[in-house]
Amino acid sequence: MLRLPRLQADLEAQALTLLALRGAVPPEPWLTPSIWHAVSLDENRATHARLLRAQGFGSMALGDWDGGWRHLRDLFTADGSPLHSFLSPRSIAELAVTAQRTGRSQEVVPILARVRAEQGARPSTRMALLLHHATALVDLDDDAEQHFHLALVNHEADRWPWERAHVRLNYGVWLRRCRRTREAR
């Protein structure tokens, strides 16, 4: 039988991510140590990023915001550079959510600035949505409502229903915190 440890690790990470997004996360342990050790994570950064993201989503789905923060934060190095150039930046909004929920918003600001700088002056529609969403959640200097609107205004972003729904949810939470319950509906 042919062994494909990297493929197996990627598939298990994707399965856990889907279960977490559906709210049907099984009890821990997820992604057993054999999965983590079957692949050289230094050589397979995409697999490493998928495993970390899956662990983070699983923790978030169970309400373990500190665990979610820990796993999603590991998608970026200490200086804020991404573990994987494509996958890590696409988790910036979830990192911002966990940071906000755990009181670590200011720790995400330099990471967000670095991701924004690396995306350039004209990021893709999806990255623009994610960057505005993250900025609305953690950057105290900017107008959060404007960033929520900018994340939601582009109809091309309908191609990413999870990201749009996540922005709408967090915008509703933000409106309720601002005591604007009528608008939050």
Side-chain angles (χ1 to χ4, degrees):
M1 178 160 184
L2 185 62
R3 291 191 58 227
L4 301 169
R6 180 172 174 231
L7 179 62
Q8 184 65 34
D10 283 338
L11 288 173
E12 288 197 31
Q14 296 292 39
L16 177 57
T17 301
L18 286 173
L19 287 172
L21 291 174
R22 292 178 178 157
V25 179
E28 289 194 62
W30 322 302
L31 306 176
T32 59
S34 63
I35 292 295
W36 289 88
H37 298 297
V39 177
S40 172
L41 298 177
D42 289 334
E43 293 176 9
N44 297 292
R45 290 185 178 216
T47 298
H48 193 187
R50 284 187 191 97
L51 290 168
L52 288 170
R53 189 168 195 247
Q55 289 277 95
F57 274 47
S59 296
M60 288 169 40
L62 293 177
D64 178 12
W65 297 103
D66 287 318
W69 161 260
R70 198 172 49 253
H71 295 299
L72 293 173
R73 177 61 184 89
D74 285 345
L75 288 169
F76 299 90
T77 63
D79 70 348
S81 61
L83 174 70
H84 187 270
S85 60
F86 182 81
L87 297 173
S88 295
R90 277 150 185 77
S91 298
I92 192 70
E94 288 83 10
L95 179 64
V97 169
T98 59
Q100 185 188 48
R101 296 280 180 113
T102 59
R104 295 180 174 110
S105 295
Q106 290 309 302
E107 293 179 44
V108 176
V109 173
I111 297 170
L112 177 59
R114 182 160 185 164
V115 169
R116 187 181 293 124
E118 288 178 359
Q119 293 300 313
R122 296 187 49 93
S124 69
T125 303
R126 183 178 186 195
M127 278 310 300
L129 181 143
L130 294 172
L131 290 169
H132 284 300
H133 184 192
T135 302
L137 292 170
V138 300
D139 203 348
L140 302 175
D141 296 334
D142 289 331
D143 181 34
E145 187 165 22
Q146 178 184 2
H147 284 285
F148 278 122
H149 283 289
L150 288 170
L152 293 170
V153 73
N154 191 340
H155 294 292
E156 262 187 64
D158 286 338
R159 292 176 35 202
W160 298 281
W162 158 251
E163 284 85 352
R164 293 233 355 157
H166 204 202
V167 173
R168 286 185 176 131
L169 171 69
N170 286 306
Y171 184 38
V173 168
W174 182 83
L175 287 169
R176 287 192 176 275
R177 284 190 187 137
C178 293
R179 304 209 184 280
R180 293 166 54 187
T181 55
R182 179 172 280 160
E183 293 175 60
R185 296 180 193 165

